[in-house]
Amino acid sequence: SSKLRHVEKDVLIPQIMRDRAKERCSDKVQAFTKCCQETGFLMVVKCRQENSELKDCLVGHYSDPLFYEECKTEYLKQREEYRATGIKKKKQKLASNV
C-alpha cells in the first residue's frame, strides 16, 4: 500500500527533497560555499546575495507540489525495494567540493 506514516511524510520524504534540491541547486551551493571560504568571518555580510539565491532556489523546490510528488514516488520506490529485498539502499553521498 502507498499509505504514508507520519514519520515518512514529515521526516523521510523531506530528507529526499532536501538532498535532491541541493543537487538541483548545486551551482548556488557552490557559489555560497566558495564565498564563505574566501571571506571567513565576514561571510554573513559579504555572502548575503549568494545565501539568498541559494535559499530561494531550495525553497522554490520545497514548495513545489510536483517536486514533492516526485520525491514521494522516489521514496515509495525505495521502500518497495527494501520490502522486497530487505536491503536498505545506501544513501548516496554527494561529492563534497574540495
Side-chain angles (χ1 to χ4, degrees):
S1 82
S2 59
K3 284 285 286 165
L4 290 172
R5 298 189 332 266
H6 173 66
V7 69
E8 294 175 317
K9 262 204 291 268
D10 296 345
V11 179
L12 301 172
I13 292 172
Q15 195 170 15
I16 290 177
M17 290 176 77
R18 275 194 300 276
D19 290 347
R20 297 192 63 184
K22 267 189 210 147
E23 284 170 24
R24 292 186 175 189
C25 300
S26 67
D27 54 334
K28 311 262 189 294
V29 172
Q30 283 175 334
F32 180 62
T33 306
K34 188 166 182 273
C35 180
C36 291
Q37 287 168 343
E38 287 169 2
T39 53
F41 286 126
L42 295 171
M43 67 187 177
V44 179
V45 180
K46 290 241 171 90
C47 304
R48 202 173 283 149
Q49 175 73 33
E50 288 83 352
N51 190 23
S52 79
E53 283 179 17
L54 172 56
K55 267 204 195 109
D56 290 348
C57 183
L58 294 174
V59 170
H61 286 303
Y62 298 155
S63 54
D64 177 358
L66 283 174
F67 184 65
Y68 176 81
E69 286 305 315
E70 204 180 289
C71 294
K72 184 172 110 178
T73 304
E74 159 107 357
Y75 171 76
L76 290 171
K77 206 175 74 197
Q78 287 177 8
R79 187 176 78 172
E80 206 47 50
E81 276 173 27
Y82 174 64
R83 287 181 176 172
T85 63
I87 300 168
K88 249 195 177 20
K89 231 177 112 184
K90 280 217 171 22
K91 266 189 57 146
Q92 293 165 327
K93 273 305 219 189
L94 290 175
S96 63
N97 313 331
V98 182

